[in-house]
């Protein structure tokens, strides 16, 4: 079925049907739903070239994917992409991945904007004063950042979790249990989320008159092997911590392995709390000792980014707005009172 046939069947103009399918705000909700239902029922899919000619829209969301020997595909990114893809598929949107040299992503951003390859883009893993955000702000294409970047003199749209608040509350829990030597195995502190998490730990400790020992802060890429190496360094060192905060469930796998190799009991000798991104294939309750976590779904964040980008493309969202999601602390068997 083509657009003309669909519009004749619904007794609507082709323009109205096209606008309804592309989410234009001037089409009322009842008409939009009627058109979308009919399109699904009769298997109508808009021709990309025709849609672009009729609306000026490609129906595509762009992402510049850094590549190179120094770049590892993070499982967190894959989970985020799954959530974004779920929403995009259900709303007739496509996702375009544009590979770029990790050290020269700006050239690729300029090319996809100049060629009008996509209607909107999103940015992930932002750093303070991130140049990609400043570039897209200047180029004028709709975009949303997954995370935050401090140091800009303009506002931009983003979706983030309360990283500082999450690690502040996790540290407070450990303090209430009597822990005064707490370590942090963090992500890459060139990225804002890791900076905010360390700030949360330091703020909670300062509230109890304590400080974070420099020997007890380790920052690195969030892999199982790095978690293992960091935990061994901490647990074999002088004044070993009685509690560890870990920025990733994947790194926590390495921490648990290191503790087992060193005959260190969790939580008898050391308590452990990790950030949990709700991976369907790695559940904290299934660890040998159920793992306490700060919980947030990165898949849900991906779906929300896609939803807001779709709204910006259609004109339903025009204001610049940031979202910060609260994070729950889930207490399980990996935390206990300080060892005596």
């Amino acid at each position: 079925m083509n657009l003309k046939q669909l519009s004749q069947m619904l007794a609507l103009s082709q323009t109205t049907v096209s606008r309804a399918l592309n989410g234009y705000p001037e089409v009322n909700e009842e008409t939009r739903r009627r058109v979308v239902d009919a399109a699904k029922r009769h298997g109508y899919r808009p021709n990309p070239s025709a849609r672009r000619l009729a609306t000026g829209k490609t129906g595509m969301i762009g992402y510049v994917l850094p590549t190179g020997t120094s770049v590892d595909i993070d499982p967190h990114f894959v989970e985020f992409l799954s959530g974004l893809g779920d929403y995009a598929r259900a709303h007739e949107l496509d996702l375009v991945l544009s590979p770029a040299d990790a050290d020269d992503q700006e050239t690729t951003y300029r090319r996809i904007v100049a060629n009008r390859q996509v209607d909107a883009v999103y940015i992930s893993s932002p750093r303070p004063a991130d140049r990609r955000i400043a570039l897209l702000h200047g180029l004028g294409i709709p975009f949303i950042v997954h995370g935050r970047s401090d140091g800009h003199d303009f506002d931009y749209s983003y979706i983030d979790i309360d990283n500082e608040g999450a690690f502040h509350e996790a540290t407070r829990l450990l303090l209430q249990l009597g822990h005064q030597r707490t370590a942090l195995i963090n992500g890459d502190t060139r990225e804002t989320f890791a900076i905010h998490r360390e700030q949360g730990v330091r703020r909670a400790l300062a509230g109890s008159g304590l400080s974070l020992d420099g020997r007890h802060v380790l920052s690195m890429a969030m892999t199982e092997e790095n978690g293992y190496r960091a935990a061994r360094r901490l647990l074999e060192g002088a004044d070993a911590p009685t509690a560890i905060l870990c920025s990733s469930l994947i790194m926590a796998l390495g921490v648990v392995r290191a503790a087992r190799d060193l005959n260190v009991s969790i939580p008898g000798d050391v308590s452990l709390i990790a950030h949990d991104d709700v991976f369907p294939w790695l559940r904290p309750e299934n660890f040998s000792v159920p793992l306490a976590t700060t919980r947030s779904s990165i898949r849900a964040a991906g779906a929300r980014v896609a939803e807001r980008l779709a709204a910006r493309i259609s004109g339903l969202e025009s204001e610049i707005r940031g979202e910060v999601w609260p994070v729950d602390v889930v207490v399980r068997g990996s935390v206990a009172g300080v060892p005596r």
Side-chain angles (χ1 to χ4, degrees):
M1 178 175 284
N2 60 34
L3 180 65
K4 182 178 179 180
Q5 292 168 327
L6 182 62
S7 62
Q8 287 174 342
M9 185 189 71
L10 293 167
L12 295 169
S13 71
Q14 292 183 47
T15 299
T16 298
V17 171
S18 176
R19 289 179 176 272
L21 290 171
N22 287 284
Y24 278 70
E26 57 265 35
V27 180
N28 67 56
E29 183 61 22
E30 181 181 348
T31 301
R32 188 194 68 79
R33 192 171 296 137
R34 181 176 158 228
V35 171
V36 170
D37 288 347
K40 288 181 179 178
R41 192 166 58 250
H42 294 281
Y44 170 78
R45 293 181 64 85
N47 179 282
S49 298
R51 176 169 58 185
R52 185 165 186 168
L53 285 171
T55 66
K57 306 292 183 184
T58 65
M60 296 182 181
I61 294 171
Y63 178 73
V64 173
L65 179 67
T67 60
T69 55
S70 63
V71 177
D72 293 319
I73 297 298
D74 188 337
H76 300 85
F77 169 72
V78 176
E79 189 68 10
F80 175 87
L81 203 60
S82 296
L84 192 147
D86 287 343
Y87 184 93
R89 184 190 67 249
H91 292 81
E92 301 289 341
L93 291 169
D94 290 312
L95 178 63
V96 178
L97 297 180
S98 299
D101 186 307
D103 297 323
D104 184 24
Q105 298 178 49
E106 293 186 20
T107 298
T108 304
Y109 279 110
R110 290 183 184 279
R111 175 174 55 79
I112 63 174
V113 172
N115 293 343
R116 299 184 179 180
Q117 293 175 249
V118 298
D119 297 323
V121 297
Y122 77 91
I123 291 174
S124 64
S125 304
R127 299 181 176 187
D130 199 301
R131 293 170 58 186
R132 298 172 298 171
I133 297 174
L135 174 65
L136 291 176
H137 176 74
L139 292 174
I141 189 172
F143 72 94
I144 287 181
V145 182
H146 178 220
R148 278 176 283 176
S149 172
D150 303 322
H152 295 287
D153 58 1
F154 56 86
D155 294 326
Y156 59 91
S157 290
Y158 63 83
I159 294 169
D160 197 10
I161 64 171
D162 186 2
N163 285 291
E164 181 175 343
F167 276 63
H168 177 268
E169 291 307 303
T171 306
R172 283 190 62 212
L173 169 63
L174 294 172
L175 288 167
Q176 290 165 5
L177 291 170
H179 294 277
Q180 295 192 356
R181 293 199 311 275
T182 295
L184 172 63
I185 302 177
N186 205 357
D188 187 341
T189 50
R190 291 175 298 177
E191 296 182 10
T192 310
F193 81 89
I195 296 171
H196 287 177
R197 290 177 185 180
E198 183 174 330
Q199 288 173 348
V201 175
R202 291 187 181 278
R203 182 161 61 88
L205 291 173
S208 294
L210 301 171
S211 60
L212 188 59
D213 190 323
R215 296 171 299 173
H216 290 167
V217 187
L218 300 172
S219 303
M220 60 206 72
M222 296 190 294
T223 66
E224 191 271 351
E225 182 61 26
N226 281 343
Y228 177 82
R229 292 176 180 175
R232 288 207 63 136
R233 178 175 167 184
L234 290 167
L235 296 173
E236 291 179 317
D239 293 325
T242 62
I244 295 175
L245 289 161
C246 188
S247 255
S248 164
L249 203 62
I250 295 167
M251 295 177 90
L253 288 170
V255 176
V256 171
R257 179 162 64 95
R260 184 178 63 244
D261 288 353
L262 295 171
N263 292 317
V264 172
S265 167
I266 298 174
D269 299 315
V270 63
S271 288
L272 176 62
I273 302 177
H275 182 66
D276 164 33
D277 286 303
V278 196
F279 294 114
W281 42 270
L282 181 61
R283 298 186 179 278
E285 60 268 28
N286 293 340
F287 275 56
S288 54
V289 177
L291 192 62
T293 58
T294 56
R295 182 171 61 190
S296 174
S297 170
I298 198 167
R299 182 182 287 250
R304 179 60 176 154
V305 165
E307 180 183 21
R308 287 192 57 192
L309 284 174
R312 296 190 73 79
I313 291 168
S314 67
L316 292 172
E317 177 182 314
S318 57
E319 74 278 12
I320 302 300
R321 179 164 52 89
E323 290 181 29
V324 180
W325 294 4
V327 179
D328 298 324
V329 177
V330 183
V331 180
R332 297 189 181 94
S334 65
V335 292
V338 66
R340 296 189 181 278

